[in-house]
Amino acid sequence: MIQRTPIRHCRNCGTAVVYRLPDDGDTKLRAVCPACHTVHYENPLNVVGTVPHLDDRVLLCKRNIEPRKGKWTLPAGFMELDETTAGGAERETDEEAGARIAMGPLFSVINVAAVGQVHFFYRAQLLSDIFDPGHETMEARLFAEEEIPWDEIAFRTVRDTLQLYFADRRNGMFGMHHFSI
């Protein structure tokens, strides 16, 4: 189970919260404000990204930030409020790789309960092989399957998504993959 810093104060009024079962029949301990009665729910974070491809190659970004600085990843990051998963994935691809893409279908959904995240990756057709990476990326470049630095992939969700992508590509049919790690 992931260890989180507990909520200490109500986001609405600032009163110290208490952890108890809410009065609405909920069966899980929640941070509840004794003053304004707001129940504070903690929900997973969504990570959104793409598998940008051009012919038989995929675009990877070498991370310039922690965690896993210097390792390779697909362009991805945390979804922002007021955006869709696809919109966030497109934004992250632009921010991290400076890549022009045509968004494709959802490819993988990966539950990472141990860290309170859900990862969404979309296939995306690259419209150019010219990239302009942002400050979070040291280098953005295309790799054929046999060129991918598998031992230098930053995250298991990225490695698993890449393996599924290339397996589907070899089979000539792309599916939508949903699993937990």
Side-chain angles (χ1 to χ4, degrees), residues 1-2 4 111-117 181:
M1 186 59 111
I2 189 167
R4 291 186 183 86
N111 300 302
V112 193
V115 293
Q117 297 177 0
I181 59 172

Side-chain angles (χ1 to χ4, degrees), residues 3-22:
Q3 296 295 322
R4 291 186 183 86
T5 303
I7 296 171
R8 297 187 196 284
H9 295 91
C10 178
R11 288 186 289 268
N12 290 333
C13 72
T15 300
V17 299
V18 294
Y19 277 81
R20 66 173 177 79
L21 293 176

Side-chain angles (χ1 to χ4, degrees), residues 48-55 57-61 74-77 84-106 120-132 140-142 165:
V48 293
T50 61
V51 182
H53 55 89
L54 184 64
D55 301 321
R57 299 173 296 163
V58 296
L59 175 65
L60 296 179
C61 299
L74 290 166
T84 64
T85 54
E90 189 167 15
R91 175 187 51 76
E92 285 290 343
T93 302
D94 180 50
E95 287 178 4
E96 293 189 4
R100 291 183 37 241
I101 59 170
M103 285 297 290
L106 182 61
F120 299 84
F121 288 98
Y122 289 81
R123 285 191 293 129
Q125 175 70 45
L126 285 163
L127 302 176
S128 168
D129 62 358
I130 299 170
F131 312 116
D132 184 21
R141 73 175 215 207
L142 292 165
Y165 173 81

